[in-house]
């Protein structure tokens, strides 16, 4: 009956940083954070919204990431937005709460920002998850304006983050991709917000051991004429500026991590 997911979660720093299973996951994924100097220098009391792209088949990095954020952004409380359904699943609920997840509703997110908390979001959601293809760096942002508007409403800086390697963790055949993006699985995700993609791992559901390099860019200080009350035009302009920053981040680092031949597709 307790609902910490509607407040500040039930963070367990020792679990996020030291649990043997979490540490093994980080090592297996070879998960590394690369944080911009400007983000590190930003006062922890000034909230940011860290937006990670792409989602990938399972967003394996999300749980393993929390422990690294304690060290990468000391003093900053970063709460991750998670789908409401996850807090109704035994064990999954605890895993989410211990790694600083809160309910992804607008009301809960807004309350966290007002309290000076920072947020971590994966804007692509189920649409990106269901359409993931190995070797294709594609993000779905054209209609994802909510996180941008939220940042403008609460004077929070937006931090673009690109997760290199995430799309290559699992195999997805052409037939599986059609099933995920057009068939019954796609209809299920659209109607109920539950993503159940078809895919294959290196062994069962175990992901391929591809390095995951998450690059956190510089904070975008977005402004609107009337603080806290952005117009539709201001949200659109901020959204365009964010996409441009994400493209710049991807292009600046893709060769460094072995993806120099790829192009970022924004849908």
């Amino acid at each position: 009956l307790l609902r910490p997911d509607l407040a500040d979660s039930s963070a367990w720093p020792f679990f996020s940083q030291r649990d043997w299973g979490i540490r093994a996951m980080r090592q297996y994924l070879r998960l590394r954070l690369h944080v911009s100097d400007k983000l590190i220098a930003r006062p922890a009391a000034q909230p940011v919204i860290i937006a990670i792209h792409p989602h990938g088949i399972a967003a394996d990095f999300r749980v393993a990431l929390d422990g690294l954020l304690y060290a990468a952004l000391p003093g900053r409380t970063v709460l991750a937005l998670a789908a409401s359904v996850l807090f109704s699943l035994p064990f999954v609920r605890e895993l989410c709460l211990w790694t600083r997840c809160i309910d992804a509703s607008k009301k809960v997110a807004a309350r966290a920002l007002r309290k000076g908390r920072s947020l971590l979001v994966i804007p692509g959601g189920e649409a990106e998850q269901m359409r993931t293809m190995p070797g294709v760096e594609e993000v779905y942002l054209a209609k994802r304006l909510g996180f941008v508007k939220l940042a403008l409403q609460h004077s929070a800086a937006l931090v673009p983050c690109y997760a290199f390697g995430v799309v290559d963790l699992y195999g997805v055949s052409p037939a599986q991709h059609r099933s995920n993006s057009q068939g019954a699985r796609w209809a299920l995700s659209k109607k109920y917000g539950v993503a159940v993609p078809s895919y294959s791992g290196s062994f069962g559901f175990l992901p391929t051991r591809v390095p995951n390099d998450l690059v956190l860019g510089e904070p975008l200080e977005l402004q609107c004429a009337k603080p806290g009350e952005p117009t539709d035009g201001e949200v659109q302009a901020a959204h365009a500026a964010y996409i441009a920053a994400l493209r710049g981040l991807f292009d600046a680092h893709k060769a460094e991590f072995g993806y120099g031949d790829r192009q970022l597709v924004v849908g």
Side-chain angles (χ1 to χ4, degrees):
L1 298 176
L2 299 177
R3 297 300 305 275
D5 48 301
L6 302 182
D8 286 343
S9 78
S10 296
W12 188 2
F14 180 86
F15 177 79
S16 288
Q17 297 175 82
R18 301 295 181 185
D19 177 77
W20 70 269
I22 298 295
R23 293 173 66 184
M25 181 186 294
R26 279 199 290 267
Q27 292 174 3
Y28 183 83
L29 294 175
R30 287 181 272 182
L31 180 63
R32 296 176 294 185
L33 285 186
H34 310 267
V35 186
S36 67
D37 292 337
K38 287 188 177 181
L39 177 55
I40 294 173
R42 184 180 174 86
Q46 297 179 8
V48 300
I49 297 179
I50 301 170
I52 302 180
H53 314 269
H55 186 290
I57 284 290
D60 305 78
F61 57 83
R62 214 297 303 162
V63 171
L65 172 63
D66 186 58
L68 297 182
L69 288 174
Y70 282 99
L73 301 173
R76 183 179 295 280
T77 299
V78 183
L79 303 177
L81 300 187
S84 303
V85 67
L86 297 180
F87 298 103
S88 299
L89 303 176
F91 180 70
V92 174
R93 168 185 170 81
E94 282 66 40
L95 191 60
C96 289
L97 291 174
W98 294 341
T99 56
R100 297 193 289 183
C101 286
I102 59 174
D103 189 270
S105 70
K106 294 179 182 179
K107 181 179 179 180
V108 174
R111 185 189 302 127
L113 290 172
R114 287 196 298 269
K115 293 169 70 174
R117 311 294 193 245
S118 292
L119 298 179
L120 185 148
V121 300
I122 308 179
E126 294 87 5
E128 215 165 75
Q129 186 176 4
M130 297 298 290
R131 295 174 179 175
T132 296
M133 273 292 287
V136 180
E137 306 290 347
E138 187 169 16
V139 300
Y140 290 84
L141 276 173
K143 298 180 180 179
R144 309 283 172 153
L145 281 73
F147 72 105
V148 177
K149 185 175 182 178
L150 188 66
L152 286 168
Q153 288 174 329
H154 297 276
S155 301
L158 272 179
V159 178
C161 173
Y162 201 84
F164 291 93
V166 165
V167 299
D168 297 318
L169 286 174
Y170 296 96
V172 180
S173 69
Q176 287 175 318
H177 187 258
R178 285 193 298 272
S179 172
N180 291 343
S181 60
Q182 300 173 19
R185 294 173 186 271
W186 176 250
L188 179 67
S189 70
K190 291 287 285 183
K191 186 171 183 178
Y192 298 106
V194 177
V196 189
S198 177
Y199 61 92
S200 59
S202 60
F203 181 77
F205 294 106
L206 191 68
T208 304
R209 196 159 186 247
V210 175
N212 282 201
D213 288 281
L214 274 61
V215 183
L216 280 69
E218 297 183 356
L220 293 178
E221 305 287 353
L222 305 173
Q223 305 292 332
C224 52
K226 191 172 183 179
E229 298 181 25
T231 64
D232 290 344
E234 288 171 333
V235 173
Q236 292 282 357
H239 184 257
Y242 177 82
I243 291 176
L246 180 64
R247 286 189 182 278
L249 184 71
F250 177 84
D251 290 337
H253 294 278
K254 63 180 184 179
E256 176 184 352
F257 301 116
Y259 301 100
D261 59 338
R262 296 187 184 180
Q263 301 298 318
L264 178 61
V265 179
V266 180

